[in-house]
Every structure is written in structure tokens, then in C-alpha cells.
Amino acid sequence: MSRDFYEVLGVSRDADEDAIKQAYRKKAAEYHPDVSDDPDAEEKFKQVKKAKEVLTDEDARSAYDRMGHEQYEQAEKRGYDASQGGQDPFGGMGGMGGGGQGSPFDDIFEQFFGGGGGGGRGRGGPRPGRDLRTGLTVDLEDAYFGTAKEMTVTRPEHCPDCDGHGHPEDAEAQTCPACEGRGQQVRVQQTPLGRVQQTTTCPQCEGEGTIYSETCDTCDGEGLVMEESTLTVDVPEGIRDGQTLRMEAEGAPGEPGARDGDLLVEISVESDERFERDGDDLYVTHPVSFPQAVFGDELEVETLDGTVSMDLPRGTQSGETFRLRNKGMPRLQRRGQGDLFVRVQVVTPEQMNDEQRDALEAFAEAGGEDIDVKEGFFEKIKNSL
């Protein structure tokens, strides 16, 4: 059983977005399946990621706080998407076929002036499908070259037994008594600014103006059932961590005659042990020997697209950084690439043969250094660098 999202991240319920993101980074590093020894690391990592997604989305967090953990998860399983705006799907609005508890697939939480929230039907028209969200993890090389990834999603589909209508074909149609067939209800409220007239979609017939004598047993009148689907996601070159891809018409289906929603895929780019990424630029550390740093050399530097040659100038100091232009990440939907920054790290030898020791001793004496070679020379060389 999943846990409360605030508890998963270890933050208070009034934590701001920065605190939530900081807690997420810490927990994600702890439970990442590639580094954690915890047998439940993969599941914990998924919970941490889900908690961050919900609590850093203003609409989703508001819905989560209002509904509570269990009811929010139940709503999501039925296709509810808080980021589209809306009240919880168990808010008591009538279901298809007349009366009863509200449909979890409904666009509810009506706006102050007018009909339902995002994705709601127009006057007398079929309701379009809502957008759905999911996540996909790729590695840095996938983000560099671009890739096609298969993923499995569980999403609403039109009920195969009623073709999404929510009732048997031979069910008797009746004019909705709540709205007298108009599909809408008018409510007048007295406010400090005066009388306000609000037109809303009829909750009993869901704007159709018609109710039916029977509902479909397979979908309980919803017109939708949850099905598992395998999709191919085209990940473009240069995608960044946290960016979202839109797959048109792969979200929740609309009512018959209306467009389907889209599937929004948030991309997570895994960290790479070789390279650090900053936007479109990459950073890599390259070890060199003391003689290479003194005399200069031609280095073979690793990039994500093979090795390239780089001239190391004489007298290079440990920690110096060199720029290799256009060797970083491709620029998403733009021409060119970022740069690769090469940090040079001079490696101090831990063991030497007699010939190497004599040479370094001569080097020290030539420089006028009066030191104890056996006990302190290498430490002093290391400190001087």
C-alpha cells in the first residue's frame, strides 16, 4: 500500500516547492535502483518520483490536499488528471443514466462563470477526452542520440460492449427531468457584488439532455474501461531532464464524435558517472601525469560520440578547464550543440622505481628545494599543484 506523499519525501505539509525538490533529489539518490542495495529500491524510487510530481504541480497538490491520499489515488486509477483543473471525481455529481455518485472520468469542479473544467463538453456537444500524464526514464546517451522507447501505460479506453455510450443500444431514452432536456442548469447566487447567474452542465444527464433506462454492465455506465497499452515514445536528441513530450490523441478517449486527449510524457534523464550536464554543456574530468602537465601533450578525450584529440599546453595546472566547442549535447529543436568542458586533474604517482625517484630528486635540487626527498617530496609536489 502506497504512503502519503509528504511522508514519502519527509517534508511538512506546508513545505514550499524548493524544499520538496531538495527532498526529492536526496531520496531519489538514496533509492535509485542502479545504486541502492535496498530490495524495494525500485518501488520506493517510483513512490518518491510520484510524490515529487504531484507536490510540485500546483493543481495536483491542491487536489491531493483536498481529497487525501487514498481518494486521490483511486481517482487517478480512473483517469482523473488534477493538472487539467477540477474537483475530486467523488464530489457527488450524478452519473450517466441518472442519479448516483459522480463519474470519476468526469470534468468537474465547475468554474465560477460557466461550465465544467478543462476538457468539458460544449453546449450539446460530446465531451473531448482529457490529457493524461506519465513518466519515462532514459540515460544520457539516449538523450544525446535520441531514441525510440516502448512503454506500457494503463489508460481509459472506450468500453467494447457499449462503444463508449454507457448504455445498451436498446436502452430506452428519456428526457432528463433535472434539466428538462436542455443539458444545462441555471443557478442564481447572491454575492457581495450582487446576483450572479451561473450556467452549469446538468449533473444527472451530464449535458446530454437524455437519460437511459439501463446502463452498461461492463463499464457501469461510464463508457470507459481501463486497459493496458504499449506505446512507442520518440525521444528527440537533446531532451533535458524534466521536459515533457506530448503524444497527440494517446490520452483518454473522448465521447463518441469528440477528439481524444493527449498523453504527456515527462522525461527523466539519468545522471552519468562520466559526464556532468549543465543545460546543453557537458563537463568531464581527464587525468594526466605530472610530465604531461609540465611538457604538454596530445590527449584523447572521451565524448558521447567517441574520442577526440585535444592539445594540452605546457605548464598546465591541475584543475584547469579547457573548452571543446560543439562537443556537448545537441540543442533541442535547434541547430548546433553545446560545448564539452575538460577539467584536467594531475595525478601524483604513489609508487616509483629508483630511476624515477633519482630524476625527481634531481629536479628538486635543480630548483633549489632543500627538502627530505624520502619523507616529504611528493607531498610538497602535490601541495604545489
PDB file of all heavy atoms in Angstrom, residues 113-146:
ATOM      1  N   PHE A 113     -17.768  31.204 -13.642  1.00  0.00           N
ATOM      2  CA  PHE A 113     -18.706  31.668 -14.660  1.00  0.00           C
ATOM      3  C   PHE A 113     -18.691  30.676 -15.812  1.00  0.00           C
ATOM      4  O   PHE A 113     -17.853  30.738 -16.677  1.00  0.00           O
ATOM      5  CB  PHE A 113     -18.315  33.054 -15.199  1.00  0.00           C
ATOM      6  CG  PHE A 113     -18.313  34.109 -14.158  1.00  0.00           C
ATOM      7  CD1 PHE A 113     -17.136  34.560 -13.610  1.00  0.00           C
ATOM      8  CD2 PHE A 113     -19.500  34.649 -13.700  1.00  0.00           C
ATOM      9  CE1 PHE A 113     -17.139  35.537 -12.638  1.00  0.00           C
ATOM     10  CE2 PHE A 113     -19.509  35.631 -12.742  1.00  0.00           C
ATOM     11  CZ  PHE A 113     -18.334  36.076 -12.199  1.00  0.00           C
ATOM     12  N   GLY A 114     -19.624  29.744 -15.854  1.00  0.00           N
ATOM     13  CA  GLY A 114     -19.701  28.845 -16.996  1.00  0.00           C
ATOM     14  C   GLY A 114     -19.634  27.402 -16.596  1.00  0.00           C
ATOM     15  O   GLY A 114     -19.783  27.034 -15.445  1.00  0.00           O
ATOM     16  N   GLY A 115     -19.366  26.544 -17.603  1.00  0.00           N
ATOM     17  CA  GLY A 115     -19.476  25.109 -17.439  1.00  0.00           C
ATOM     18  C   GLY A 115     -18.288  24.486 -16.782  1.00  0.00           C
ATOM     19  O   GLY A 115     -17.585  25.100 -15.993  1.00  0.00           O
ATOM     20  N   GLY A 116     -18.037  23.192 -17.142  1.00  0.00           N
ATOM     21  CA  GLY A 116     -17.038  22.382 -16.465  1.00  0.00           C
ATOM     22  C   GLY A 116     -15.633  22.831 -16.741  1.00  0.00           C
ATOM     23  O   GLY A 116     -15.376  23.745 -17.506  1.00  0.00           O
ATOM     24  N   GLY A 117     -14.678  22.123 -16.105  1.00  0.00           N
ATOM     25  CA  GLY A 117     -13.265  22.438 -16.227  1.00  0.00           C
ATOM     26  C   GLY A 117     -12.719  22.040 -17.576  1.00  0.00           C
ATOM     27  O   GLY A 117     -13.437  21.679 -18.492  1.00  0.00           O
ATOM     28  N   GLY A 118     -11.369  22.097 -17.694  1.00  0.00           N
ATOM     29  CA  GLY A 118     -10.709  21.811 -18.948  1.00  0.00           C
ATOM     30  C   GLY A 118     -11.130  20.481 -19.520  1.00  0.00           C
ATOM     31  O   GLY A 118     -11.184  19.481 -18.848  1.00  0.00           O
ATOM     32  N   GLY A 119     -11.397  20.443 -20.820  1.00  0.00           N
ATOM     33  CA  GLY A 119     -11.790  19.208 -21.461  1.00  0.00           C
ATOM     34  C   GLY A 119     -13.277  18.965 -21.431  1.00  0.00           C
ATOM     35  O   GLY A 119     -13.747  17.945 -21.908  1.00  0.00           O
ATOM     36  N   GLY A 120     -14.072  19.873 -20.843  1.00  0.00           N
ATOM     37  CA  GLY A 120     -15.516  19.671 -20.749  1.00  0.00           C
ATOM     38  C   GLY A 120     -16.186  19.842 -22.098  1.00  0.00           C
ATOM     39  O   GLY A 120     -15.654  20.456 -23.008  1.00  0.00           O
ATOM     40  N   ARG A 121     -17.386  19.318 -22.210  1.00  0.00           N
ATOM     41  CA  ARG A 121     -18.101  19.390 -23.474  1.00  0.00           C
ATOM     42  C   ARG A 121     -18.640  20.796 -23.690  1.00  0.00           C
ATOM     43  O   ARG A 121     -18.877  21.556 -22.768  1.00  0.00           O
ATOM     44  CB  ARG A 121     -19.246  18.371 -23.484  1.00  0.00           C
ATOM     45  CG  ARG A 121     -20.434  18.822 -22.696  1.00  0.00           C
ATOM     46  CD  ARG A 121     -21.546  17.800 -22.777  1.00  0.00           C
ATOM     47  NE  ARG A 121     -21.224  16.675 -21.922  1.00  0.00           N
ATOM     48  CZ  ARG A 121     -21.694  15.459 -22.133  1.00  0.00           C
ATOM     49  NH1 ARG A 121     -22.429  15.202 -23.177  1.00  0.00           N
ATOM     50  NH2 ARG A 121     -21.395  14.484 -21.307  1.00  0.00           N
ATOM     51  N   GLY A 122     -18.878  21.140 -24.909  1.00  0.00           N
ATOM     52  CA  GLY A 122     -19.547  22.372 -25.231  1.00  0.00           C
ATOM     53  C   GLY A 122     -21.055  22.148 -25.124  1.00  0.00           C
ATOM     54  O   GLY A 122     -21.516  21.065 -24.831  1.00  0.00           O
ATOM     55  N   ARG A 123     -21.819  23.181 -25.374  1.00  0.00           N
ATOM     56  CA  ARG A 123     -23.270  23.060 -25.261  1.00  0.00           C
ATOM     57  C   ARG A 123     -23.769  22.017 -26.256  1.00  0.00           C
ATOM     58  O   ARG A 123     -23.659  22.187 -27.455  1.00  0.00           O
ATOM     59  CB  ARG A 123     -23.941  24.405 -25.558  1.00  0.00           C
ATOM     60  CG  ARG A 123     -23.693  25.451 -24.479  1.00  0.00           C
ATOM     61  CD  ARG A 123     -24.372  26.742 -24.860  1.00  0.00           C
ATOM     62  NE  ARG A 123     -24.153  27.740 -23.823  1.00  0.00           N
ATOM     63  CZ  ARG A 123     -25.127  28.320 -23.156  1.00  0.00           C
ATOM     64  NH1 ARG A 123     -26.375  27.983 -23.389  1.00  0.00           N
ATOM     65  NH2 ARG A 123     -24.859  29.219 -22.243  1.00  0.00           N
ATOM     66  N   GLY A 124     -24.346  20.938 -25.717  1.00  0.00           N
ATOM     67  CA  GLY A 124     -24.951  19.931 -26.559  1.00  0.00           C
ATOM     68  C   GLY A 124     -23.957  19.051 -27.288  1.00  0.00           C
ATOM     69  O   GLY A 124     -24.368  18.149 -28.004  1.00  0.00           O
ATOM     70  N   GLY A 125     -22.659  19.312 -27.161  1.00  0.00           N
ATOM     71  CA  GLY A 125     -21.671  18.536 -27.901  1.00  0.00           C
ATOM     72  C   GLY A 125     -21.040  17.460 -27.055  1.00  0.00           C
ATOM     73  O   GLY A 125     -21.094  17.508 -25.829  1.00  0.00           O
ATOM     74  N   PRO A 126     -20.435  16.460 -27.707  1.00  0.00           N
ATOM     75  CA  PRO A 126     -19.765  15.388 -26.957  1.00  0.00           C
ATOM     76  C   PRO A 126     -18.507  15.902 -26.270  1.00  0.00           C
ATOM     77  O   PRO A 126     -17.838  16.812 -26.760  1.00  0.00           O
ATOM     78  CB  PRO A 126     -19.435  14.358 -28.041  1.00  0.00           C
ATOM     79  CG  PRO A 126     -19.349  15.150 -29.303  1.00  0.00           C
ATOM     80  CD  PRO A 126     -20.342  16.261 -29.165  1.00  0.00           C
ATOM     81  N   ARG A 127     -18.182  15.309 -25.138  1.00  0.00           N
ATOM     82  CA  ARG A 127     -17.048  15.749 -24.333  1.00  0.00           C
ATOM     83  C   ARG A 127     -15.737  15.194 -24.899  1.00  0.00           C
ATOM     84  O   ARG A 127     -15.611  13.991 -25.107  1.00  0.00           O
ATOM     85  CB  ARG A 127     -17.219  15.280 -22.891  1.00  0.00           C
ATOM     86  CG  ARG A 127     -16.074  15.684 -21.969  1.00  0.00           C
ATOM     87  CD  ARG A 127     -16.181  15.052 -20.597  1.00  0.00           C
ATOM     88  NE  ARG A 127     -17.341  15.529 -19.864  1.00  0.00           N
ATOM     89  CZ  ARG A 127     -18.396  14.796 -19.598  1.00  0.00           C
ATOM     90  NH1 ARG A 127     -18.449  13.545 -20.014  1.00  0.00           N
ATOM     91  NH2 ARG A 127     -19.419  15.302 -18.922  1.00  0.00           N
ATOM     92  N   PRO A 128     -14.751  16.045 -25.151  1.00  0.00           N
ATOM     93  CA  PRO A 128     -13.445  15.540 -25.597  1.00  0.00           C
ATOM     94  C   PRO A 128     -12.731  14.811 -24.471  1.00  0.00           C
ATOM     95  O   PRO A 128     -13.035  15.004 -23.290  1.00  0.00           O
ATOM     96  CB  PRO A 128     -12.690  16.815 -26.003  1.00  0.00           C
ATOM     97  CG  PRO A 128     -13.330  17.904 -25.206  1.00  0.00           C
ATOM     98  CD  PRO A 128     -14.772  17.520 -25.057  1.00  0.00           C
ATOM     99  N   GLY A 129     -11.770  13.970 -24.833  1.00  0.00           N
ATOM    100  CA  GLY A 129     -11.007  13.237 -23.835  1.00  0.00           C
ATOM    101  C   GLY A 129     -10.030  14.137 -23.110  1.00  0.00           C
ATOM    102  O   GLY A 129      -9.545  15.130 -23.661  1.00  0.00           O
ATOM    103  N   ARG A 130      -9.715  13.800 -21.881  1.00  0.00           N
ATOM    104  CA  ARG A 130      -8.771  14.600 -21.099  1.00  0.00           C
ATOM    105  C   ARG A 130      -7.347  14.120 -21.363  1.00  0.00           C
ATOM    106  O   ARG A 130      -7.102  12.995 -21.792  1.00  0.00           O
ATOM    107  CB  ARG A 130      -9.088  14.527 -19.614  1.00  0.00           C
ATOM    108  CG  ARG A 130      -8.900  13.173 -19.008  1.00  0.00           C
ATOM    109  CD  ARG A 130      -9.068  13.197 -17.496  1.00  0.00           C
ATOM    110  NE  ARG A 130     -10.459  13.329 -17.113  1.00  0.00           N
ATOM    111  CZ  ARG A 130     -10.946  14.379 -16.479  1.00  0.00           C
ATOM    112  NH1 ARG A 130     -10.168  15.390 -16.174  1.00  0.00           N
ATOM    113  NH2 ARG A 130     -12.208  14.437 -16.133  1.00  0.00           N
ATOM    114  N   ASP A 131      -6.394  14.999 -21.110  1.00  0.00           N
ATOM    115  CA  ASP A 131      -4.982  14.648 -21.221  1.00  0.00           C
ATOM    116  C   ASP A 131      -4.572  13.788 -20.027  1.00  0.00           C
ATOM    117  O   ASP A 131      -5.062  13.983 -18.913  1.00  0.00           O
ATOM    118  CB  ASP A 131      -4.101  15.897 -21.270  1.00  0.00           C
ATOM    119  CG  ASP A 131      -4.324  16.711 -22.533  1.00  0.00           C
ATOM    120  OD1 ASP A 131      -4.893  16.161 -23.492  1.00  0.00           O
ATOM    121  OD2 ASP A 131      -3.926  17.891 -22.557  1.00  0.00           O
ATOM    122  N   LEU A 132      -3.670  12.858 -20.262  1.00  0.00           N
ATOM    123  CA  LEU A 132      -3.128  12.007 -19.207  1.00  0.00           C
ATOM    124  C   LEU A 132      -1.623  12.255 -19.096  1.00  0.00           C
ATOM    125  O   LEU A 132      -0.980  12.711 -20.042  1.00  0.00           O
ATOM    126  CB  LEU A 132      -3.397  10.532 -19.512  1.00  0.00           C
ATOM    127  CG  LEU A 132      -4.855  10.119 -19.697  1.00  0.00           C
ATOM    128  CD1 LEU A 132      -4.948   8.637 -20.031  1.00  0.00           C
ATOM    129  CD2 LEU A 132      -5.672  10.434 -18.451  1.00  0.00           C
ATOM    130  N   ARG A 133      -1.073  11.924 -17.934  1.00  0.00           N
ATOM    131  CA  ARG A 133       0.352  12.115 -17.700  1.00  0.00           C
ATOM    132  C   ARG A 133       1.021  10.801 -17.291  1.00  0.00           C
ATOM    133  O   ARG A 133       0.409   9.982 -16.601  1.00  0.00           O
ATOM    134  CB  ARG A 133       0.603  13.145 -16.587  1.00  0.00           C
ATOM    135  CG  ARG A 133       0.276  14.560 -16.963  1.00  0.00           C
ATOM    136  CD  ARG A 133       0.548  15.523 -15.820  1.00  0.00           C
ATOM    137  NE  ARG A 133       0.261  16.889 -16.197  1.00  0.00           N
ATOM    138  CZ  ARG A 133       1.154  17.712 -16.746  1.00  0.00           C
ATOM    139  NH1 ARG A 133       2.387  17.295 -16.960  1.00  0.00           N
ATOM    140  NH2 ARG A 133       0.822  18.947 -17.068  1.00  0.00           N
ATOM    141  N   THR A 134       2.273  10.640 -17.707  1.00  0.00           N
ATOM    142  CA  THR A 134       3.074   9.504 -17.275  1.00  0.00           C
ATOM    143  C   THR A 134       4.538   9.929 -17.330  1.00  0.00           C
ATOM    144  O   THR A 134       4.853  11.067 -17.677  1.00  0.00           O
ATOM    145  CB  THR A 134       2.814   8.263 -18.160  1.00  0.00           C
ATOM    146  OG1 THR A 134       3.462   7.122 -17.605  1.00  0.00           O
ATOM    147  CG2 THR A 134       3.321   8.488 -19.579  1.00  0.00           C
ATOM    148  N   GLY A 135       5.448   9.034 -16.969  1.00  0.00           N
ATOM    149  CA  GLY A 135       6.869   9.363 -16.961  1.00  0.00           C
ATOM    150  C   GLY A 135       7.689   8.300 -17.671  1.00  0.00           C
ATOM    151  O   GLY A 135       7.280   7.138 -17.780  1.00  0.00           O
ATOM    152  N   LEU A 136       8.858   8.693 -18.165  1.00  0.00           N
ATOM    153  CA  LEU A 136       9.770   7.778 -18.858  1.00  0.00           C
ATOM    154  C   LEU A 136      11.199   8.164 -18.503  1.00  0.00           C
ATOM    155  O   LEU A 136      11.555   9.347 -18.552  1.00  0.00           O
ATOM    156  CB  LEU A 136       9.559   7.858 -20.370  1.00  0.00           C
ATOM    157  CG  LEU A 136      10.487   6.996 -21.237  1.00  0.00           C
ATOM    158  CD1 LEU A 136      10.217   5.506 -20.988  1.00  0.00           C
ATOM    159  CD2 LEU A 136      10.299   7.326 -22.714  1.00  0.00           C
ATOM    160  N   THR A 137      12.013   7.160 -18.154  1.00  0.00           N
ATOM    161  CA  THR A 137      13.414   7.404 -17.795  1.00  0.00           C
ATOM    162  C   THR A 137      14.329   6.955 -18.934  1.00  0.00           C
ATOM    163  O   THR A 137      14.175   5.854 -19.470  1.00  0.00           O
ATOM    164  CB  THR A 137      13.780   6.648 -16.507  1.00  0.00           C
ATOM    165  OG1 THR A 137      12.951   7.126 -15.433  1.00  0.00           O
ATOM    166  CG2 THR A 137      15.238   6.887 -16.130  1.00  0.00           C
ATOM    167  N   VAL A 138      15.280   7.808 -19.299  1.00  0.00           N
ATOM    168  CA  VAL A 138      16.268   7.487 -20.324  1.00  0.00           C
ATOM    169  C   VAL A 138      17.646   7.815 -19.768  1.00  0.00           C
ATOM    170  O   VAL A 138      17.792   8.574 -18.807  1.00  0.00           O
ATOM    171  CB  VAL A 138      16.022   8.276 -21.632  1.00  0.00           C
ATOM    172  CG1 VAL A 138      14.658   7.947 -22.209  1.00  0.00           C
ATOM    173  CG2 VAL A 138      16.153   9.786 -21.396  1.00  0.00           C
ATOM    174  N   ASP A 139      18.696   7.231 -20.373  1.00  0.00           N
ATOM    175  CA  ASP A 139      20.048   7.577 -19.931  1.00  0.00           C
ATOM    176  C   ASP A 139      20.591   8.723 -20.778  1.00  0.00           C
ATOM    177  O   ASP A 139      19.943   9.192 -21.727  1.00  0.00           O
ATOM    178  CB  ASP A 139      20.970   6.352 -19.970  1.00  0.00           C
ATOM    179  CG  ASP A 139      21.110   5.729 -21.351  1.00  0.00           C
ATOM    180  OD1 ASP A 139      21.042   6.470 -22.355  1.00  0.00           O
ATOM    181  OD2 ASP A 139      21.298   4.494 -21.432  1.00  0.00           O
ATOM    182  N   LEU A 140      21.787   9.193 -20.437  1.00  0.00           N
ATOM    183  CA  LEU A 140      22.339  10.377 -21.095  1.00  0.00           C
ATOM    184  C   LEU A 140      22.617  10.118 -22.572  1.00  0.00           C
ATOM    185  O   LEU A 140      22.447  11.008 -23.406  1.00  0.00           O
ATOM    186  CB  LEU A 140      23.616  10.824 -20.375  1.00  0.00           C
ATOM    187  CG  LEU A 140      24.191  12.176 -20.806  1.00  0.00           C
ATOM    188  CD1 LEU A 140      23.186  13.295 -20.548  1.00  0.00           C
ATOM    189  CD2 LEU A 140      25.503  12.474 -20.080  1.00  0.00           C
ATOM    190  N   GLU A 141      23.041   8.901 -22.912  1.00  0.00           N
ATOM    191  CA  GLU A 141      23.293   8.592 -24.316  1.00  0.00           C
ATOM    192  C   GLU A 141      22.007   8.612 -25.130  1.00  0.00           C
ATOM    193  O   GLU A 141      21.990   9.054 -26.278  1.00  0.00           O
ATOM    194  CB  GLU A 141      23.997   7.233 -24.438  1.00  0.00           C
ATOM    195  CG  GLU A 141      25.440   7.259 -23.958  1.00  0.00           C
ATOM    196  CD  GLU A 141      26.216   6.022 -24.392  1.00  0.00           C
ATOM    197  OE1 GLU A 141      25.738   5.309 -25.299  1.00  0.00           O
ATOM    198  OE2 GLU A 141      27.292   5.768 -23.831  1.00  0.00           O
ATOM    199  N   ASP A 142      20.908   8.121 -24.538  1.00  0.00           N
ATOM    200  CA  ASP A 142      19.614   8.209 -25.219  1.00  0.00           C
ATOM    201  C   ASP A 142      19.253   9.668 -25.483  1.00  0.00           C
ATOM    202  O   ASP A 142      18.729  10.016 -26.545  1.00  0.00           O
ATOM    203  CB  ASP A 142      18.518   7.560 -24.371  1.00  0.00           C
ATOM    204  CG  ASP A 142      18.618   6.043 -24.328  1.00  0.00           C
ATOM    205  OD1 ASP A 142      19.186   5.463 -25.264  1.00  0.00           O
ATOM    206  OD2 ASP A 142      18.135   5.445 -23.352  1.00  0.00           O
ATOM    207  N   ALA A 143      19.521  10.519 -24.489  1.00  0.00           N
ATOM    208  CA  ALA A 143      19.216  11.937 -24.638  1.00  0.00           C
ATOM    209  C   ALA A 143      20.128  12.591 -25.678  1.00  0.00           C
ATOM    210  O   ALA A 143      19.746  13.578 -26.319  1.00  0.00           O
ATOM    211  CB  ALA A 143      19.357  12.657 -23.297  1.00  0.00           C
ATOM    212  N   TYR A 144      21.331  12.062 -25.858  1.00  0.00           N
ATOM    213  CA  TYR A 144      22.284  12.623 -26.822  1.00  0.00           C
ATOM    214  C   TYR A 144      21.898  12.242 -28.252  1.00  0.00           C
ATOM    215  O   TYR A 144      21.821  13.093 -29.139  1.00  0.00           O
ATOM    216  CB  TYR A 144      23.694  12.137 -26.504  1.00  0.00           C
ATOM    217  CG  TYR A 144      24.767  12.691 -27.433  1.00  0.00           C
ATOM    218  CD1 TYR A 144      25.397  13.900 -27.151  1.00  0.00           C
ATOM    219  CD2 TYR A 144      25.126  12.007 -28.586  1.00  0.00           C
ATOM    220  CE1 TYR A 144      26.369  14.413 -28.000  1.00  0.00           C
ATOM    221  CE2 TYR A 144      26.095  12.513 -29.445  1.00  0.00           C
ATOM    222  CZ  TYR A 144      26.716  13.713 -29.147  1.00  0.00           C
ATOM    223  OH  TYR A 144      27.668  14.223 -29.996  1.00  0.00           O
ATOM    224  N   PHE A 145      21.681  10.952 -28.473  1.00  0.00           N
ATOM    225  CA  PHE A 145      21.432  10.466 -29.832  1.00  0.00           C
ATOM    226  C   PHE A 145      19.950  10.480 -30.208  1.00  0.00           C
ATOM    227  O   PHE A 145      19.609  10.398 -31.384  1.00  0.00           O
ATOM    228  CB  PHE A 145      21.962   9.034 -29.983  1.00  0.00           C
ATOM    229  CG  PHE A 145      23.456   8.931 -29.934  1.00  0.00           C
ATOM    230  CD1 PHE A 145      24.092   8.431 -28.809  1.00  0.00           C
ATOM    231  CD2 PHE A 145      24.233   9.355 -31.008  1.00  0.00           C
ATOM    232  CE1 PHE A 145      25.479   8.332 -28.757  1.00  0.00           C
ATOM    233  CE2 PHE A 145      25.619   9.258 -30.962  1.00  0.00           C
ATOM    234  CZ  PHE A 145      26.242   8.753 -29.833  1.00  0.00           C
ATOM    235  N   GLY A 146      19.057  10.573 -29.208  1.00  0.00           N
ATOM    236  CA  GLY A 146      17.643  10.368 -29.476  1.00  0.00           C
ATOM    237  C   GLY A 146      17.362   8.878 -29.560  1.00  0.00           C
ATOM    238  O   GLY A 146      18.256   8.078 -29.871  1.00  0.00           O
TER     239      GLY A 146
END
